[in-house]
Amino acid sequence: METEHIAENIARIRAQMAQAAEAAGRKPEEVLLCAATKMNDAAAVKAAVAAGVDCCGENRVQELTAKLPQGAYTGRPVHFIGHLQTNKVKQVVGKVDLIQSVDRMELLACIDKEARKQGIVQNILLEVNIGAEESKSGFTPAGAMEIAAKMAGFSGCRLLGLMAIPPVSLHPGDNCRYFAEMRKLFVDISMKKYDNVSMECLSMGMSDDYADAISEGSTMIRVGTAIFGPRNYNV
Ligand SMILES: *Cc1c(COP(=O)(O)O)cnc(C)c1O
């Protein structure tokens, strides 16, 4: 896709985000736009940054490591949003502003250990498998609640919220119930006021369902296709 369409696409998404927020009685600035940059090169990512996305989310360690020195994300925070293997944790901790995809206890422990070794605090979200899908990783809602209660024991990390990727929806509105469940869990954890937890970010909604996610209380949508066009998996 030509990078020249990226700014137009982002302007259109911003307008739809504002509309969805206002329809739900929310302020447009309550919802951040994260560009899901996988399989898009540094030039495309730079165009999205220039067009004013709030942050970038990268899925693969290899792409993150390649695009960082190219200055792809410069000027905006960069997040890790993909499945992270423990043997690659070193390449991500301290390099990104937020790891959104902490999907299992082993990974949390590994990130915490690496962050303490580096003498930093790594911001994280817990990924919740809200559709209880076999094919997806992530905590159950009860599991996420349990981890939040134990965050005081992970001084190398700070929990800033939750992330979810609900099932692929066939019809508009299909995922509203999952988004609503996520919002409830987010509020429940916030109200507990656990140590080392500051619930600021509820990351949910992608190209096909971000308006529904915003209606249900998302504070960050992660959008790839609607910004960059379809990804080419054959290259
Ligand atoms: C690819 C991806 C997205 C964006 O998906 P689109 O449907 O292209 O908007 C969002 N979140 C995660 C974790 C992704 O991997």
Side-chain angles (χ1 to χ4, degrees), residues 42-209:
V45 178
K46 282 180 188 175
V49 167
V53 295
D54 295 296
C55 56
C56 296
E58 203 61 80
N59 276 75
R60 293 176 191 150
V61 175
Q62 207 184 336
E63 286 193 52
L64 175 74
T65 311
K67 288 177 226 176
L68 265 176
Q70 296 177 290
Y73 321 106
T74 302
R76 292 292 177 214
V78 59
H79 297 176
F80 195 80
I81 63 173
H83 187 70
L84 181 54
Q85 290 167 266
T86 51
N87 64 358
K88 294 191 175 158
V89 157
K90 265 196 200 74
Q91 294 169 262
V92 177
V93 169
K95 301 281 198 309
V96 299
D97 298 277
L98 179 67
I99 302 175
Q100 295 200 12
S101 43
V102 178
D103 57 4
R104 58 203 192 280
M105 189 58 201
E106 181 200 20
L107 179 62
L108 173 61
C110 189
I111 292 169
D112 182 62
K113 191 173 164 199
E114 176 61 25
R116 283 186 286 114
K117 197 170 130 195
Q118 292 182 19
I120 62 152
V121 174
Q122 177 66 60
N123 290 328
I124 62 161
L125 305 181
L126 297 179
E127 180 172 349
V128 178
N129 185 359
I130 196 64
E133 294 172 277
E134 291 270 336
S135 61
K136 280 186 188 139
S137 51
F139 294 99
T140 62
M145 181 60 95
E146 262 172 55
I147 300 285
K150 291 182 188 152
M151 278 308 297
F154 296 95
S155 60
C157 293
R158 183 157 179 79
L159 179 60
L160 295 189
L162 304 174
M163 186 268 251
I165 310 170
V168 173
S169 63
L170 300 174
H171 310 286
D174 275 358
N175 279 336
C176 286
R177 67 190 189 95
Y178 294 119
F179 293 141
E181 275 179 58
M182 285 299 300
R183 179 69 194 184
K184 184 177 177 305
L185 178 63
F186 182 79
V187 171
D188 285 350
I189 294 175
S190 308
M191 293 199 315
K192 301 277 190 189
K193 304 204 181 306
Y194 290 127
D195 282 351
N196 200 21
V197 175
S198 168
M199 299 298 277
E200 295 164 15
C201 183
L202 178 56
S203 173
M204 58 186 194
M206 315 203 306
S207 291
D208 289 336
D209 56 14

